[in-house]
């Protein structure tokens, strides 16, 4: 048995970095995904109240999801991620979308999703 074992180690060639390539790839992919999340949301055009009202009415009547960008900047001056969901209800101050209450005056841009 020792001859077989010795033969194995004599013939064995280490693949060196090739065997670690999969780990680097998955790490690299994870870093890229984190960077995508950190990228600021694009600044969308400011819609008029009439345009916002039309899109919200259409979405509410047809039970279609909306994508809303709030008029809110973080400490670095970037817009936050869009809020996506169906309009669950509304009152005189705002709408309820995806568990969030959004005031009408906070909406910068809205589109059907």
């Amino acid at each position: 048995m020792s001859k077989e074992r010795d033969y194995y180690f004599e013939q064995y060639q280490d693949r060196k970095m090739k065997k670690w390539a999969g780990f680097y790839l998955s790490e690299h992919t994870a870093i890229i995904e984190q960077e995508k999340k950190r990228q600021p949301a694009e600044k969308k055009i400011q819609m008029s109240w009439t345009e916002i009202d039309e899109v919200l009415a259409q979405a509410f009547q047809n039970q279609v999801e909306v994508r809303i960008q709030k008029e809110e900047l973080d400490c670095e001056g970037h817009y936050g991620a869009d809020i996506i969901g169906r309009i669950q209800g509304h009152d005189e101050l705002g709408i309820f979308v995806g568990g969030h209450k959004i005031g009408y005056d906070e909406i910068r841009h809205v589109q059907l999703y």
Side-chain angles (χ1 to χ4, degrees):
M1 186 145 140
S2 67
K3 286 183 181 183
E4 290 175 14
R5 186 172 180 196
D6 290 338
Y7 177 75
Y8 172 78
F9 285 114
E10 287 173 8
Q11 299 301 314
Y12 178 74
Q13 292 184 2
D14 188 10
R15 298 181 298 156
K16 299 189 181 10
M17 292 304 292
K18 287 183 183 179
K19 64 184 173 187
W20 298 103
F23 293 112
Y24 286 119
L25 181 61
S26 65
E27 277 184 8
H28 184 82
T29 305
I31 290 170
I32 290 172
E33 290 300 318
Q34 287 176 351
E35 288 299 318
K36 283 181 185 177
K37 291 178 183 176
R38 284 189 212 158
Q39 289 180 350
E42 68 179 69
K43 180 180 178 181
K44 298 180 180 174
I45 61 167
Q46 174 70 52
M47 295 174 73
S48 70
W49 171 241
T50 307
E51 293 171 321
I52 292 171
D53 189 43
E54 288 174 7
V55 174
L56 291 177
Q58 184 180 2
F60 188 69
Q61 289 172 354
N62 299 325
Q63 285 299 301
V64 179
E65 286 188 333
V66 290
R67 172 180 231 133
I68 298 174
Q69 184 175 56
K70 292 174 69 174
E71 185 61 65
E72 183 177 271
L73 301 174
D74 63 11
C75 61
E76 296 176 355
H78 301 248
Y79 288 94
D82 292 349
I83 298 171
I84 301 171
R86 284 194 173 83
I87 300 174
Q88 299 159 335
H90 61 89
D91 61 16
E92 63 276 350
L93 299 176
I95 58 174
F96 299 93
V97 175
H100 301 286
K101 170 126 190 228
I102 305 169
Y104 293 121
D105 59 341
E106 295 178 304
I107 299 173
R108 174 180 179 74
H109 185 91
V110 62
Q111 65 189 55
L112 299 177
Y113 187 65

